[in-house]
Amino acid sequence: MGSSPTPGTDVPRRVISASRRTDLPRWYLPWLRAALQAEEATVHLPYGGCRTVSLRPEAVHTVVLWSKDYSRLLADRKLRVLLGRYDQVVAHFTVTGLGGTWIEPGVPRAEAAIAQLPELVALCGGPERVVVRFDPIVHWRKGARIESNAPWAEALFRACARAGVRDLRLSTATLYGKVLRRGVAWYDPSPEEKHAIAAHLIDLAQSHRLALGACADLALESAGIARVPCIDGMRLTALHPQRLAASSRRDRGQRAHCLCTESVDIGGYGMRCPGGCLYCYANPGVNRSRCR
């Protein structure tokens, strides 16, 4: 199914992702504000070249925000007005419990992060448009012990239930070569250990009446947590104030196990993320050439 066209044209309304590639609401707020004001963004593509993406409200189905810290966006009155011109804003909010630690040195501490939930729910027009991401679940060795952020799930799930947010995404860390070279004694749990973690999280979610979905994670799926799209055209259609259709075609630009539907990402890997998360699949310390 294609998305509904922009009024007066045959051009489909796009879902705008801002952004999987870097944390725009935390680190690039002036850039995001300027792009929304200009109603277009020039984007540096991952494999070279640039493209200009229309951000005219009548050409956009939904703006999907991704961040580990919305405090600056929530305090930016002008940006909130600009976002208010769009039919629908959805927020993905990543809270791993590791903020402020050596693993996520540039991220707010978990307690400060979850305190943003009520205001973020208000910005998006309801808790059904906020997705909290306990993503990724990571393990590492500390001497003879295995450490993990998994135990912090209970506090996060409780905070989500208080805020009325029911939709959570989970994944376990993918230890890419570049991640392994960062000097951390990462530990990759066995399938049996991942099943035990998943079973605990399922029980915990049920106790708080939360819905869990695995983000491109076959191990969690095999343990009973359904793999689901993070950008879901059918769900965005159902939530849209005018019920305008978003594309339900799979996004071919994502990982093989990702079920997300089509969107246009306006971030760039050349926009360095100072968050410094040691498990990040990008190269947060490298600045690439920018579009001119």
Side-chain angles (χ1 to χ4, degrees):
M1 180 180 70
S3 59
S4 294
T6 302
T9 76
D10 294 324
V11 179
R13 289 191 177 215
R14 290 169 163 169
V15 174
I16 299 297
S17 172
S19 160
R20 285 185 176 96
R21 297 169 182 162
T22 192
D23 193 331
L24 293 178
R26 168 66 173 169
W27 302 111
Y28 291 93
L29 210 61
W31 182 92
L32 180 60
R33 188 191 314 112
L36 296 180
Q37 182 74 55
E39 299 186 352
E40 67 175 30
T42 301
V43 180
H44 180 77
L45 300 174
Y47 300 105
C50 301
R51 70 181 297 188
T52 299
V53 178
S54 173
L55 299 178
R56 291 182 297 112
E58 61 270 22
V60 173
H61 184 281
T62 302
V63 176
V64 179
L65 301 170
W66 310 71
S67 185
K68 292 184 176 179
D69 181 11
Y70 283 97
S71 60
R72 295 178 181 178
L73 184 150
L74 292 170
D76 192 318
R77 189 171 302 174
K78 183 173 182 180
L79 183 53
R80 292 180 65 152
V81 169
L82 289 168
L83 287 171
R85 299 165 60 211
Y86 293 90
D87 287 343
Q88 180 164 239
V89 175
V90 168
H92 283 252
F93 190 17
T94 300
V95 187
T96 67
L98 295 170
T101 70
W102 60 278
I103 292 180
E104 290 184 357
V107 177
R109 299 198 73 85
E111 296 79 5
I114 61 177
Q116 300 171 26
L117 270 174
E119 197 172 358
L120 186 60
V121 165
L123 174 73
C124 295
E128 67 278 4
R129 293 190 179 90
V130 175
V131 179
V132 170
R133 310 181 66 85
F134 189 48
D135 170 27
I137 300 167
V138 294
H139 295 75
W140 63 95
R141 292 182 177 87
K142 185 176 181 181
R145 299 198 313 273
I146 303 298
E147 301 282 335
S148 175
N149 61 329
W152 199 79
E154 186 167 0
L156 177 61
F157 286 21
R158 188 166 54 246
C160 289
R162 283 199 305 266
V165 174
R166 302 295 175 192
D167 197 7
L168 279 87
R169 293 291 180 276
L170 311 173
S171 77
T172 51
T174 299
L175 301 177
Y176 297 102
K178 65 179 74 174
V179 175
L180 293 172
R181 290 191 291 271
R182 290 175 185 158
V184 179
W186 298 114
Y187 174 76
D188 190 13
S190 68
E192 293 76 18
E193 290 171 312
K194 289 180 180 179
H195 275 241
I197 293 167
H200 171 68
L201 294 177
I202 290 169
D203 288 344
L204 191 61
Q206 289 175 344
S207 71
H208 291 291
R209 299 182 181 180
L210 305 177
L212 300 184
C215 174
D217 194 316
L218 298 182
L220 290 179
E221 183 178 45
S222 68
I225 299 176
R227 189 163 43 106
V228 296
C230 297
I231 293 183
D232 183 348
M234 293 182 66
R235 181 171 174 79
L236 295 181
T237 296
L239 291 174
H240 194 279
Q242 287 81 48
R243 298 296 189 270
L244 293 182
S247 173
S248 61
R249 290 189 291 263
R250 182 179 174 276
D251 191 335
R252 297 179 182 274
Q254 303 305 319
R255 294 173 290 169
H257 302 309
C258 176
L259 299 179
C260 282
T261 56
E262 291 176 323
S263 65
V264 179
D265 202 295
I266 61 171
Y269 290 121
M271 303 168 85
R272 180 179 178 270
C273 178
C277 301
L278 292 177
Y279 53 75
C280 182
Y281 57 79
N283 283 315
V286 176
N287 273 315
R288 300 181 185 176
S289 59
R290 295 173 181 245
C291 301
R292 298 182 180 181

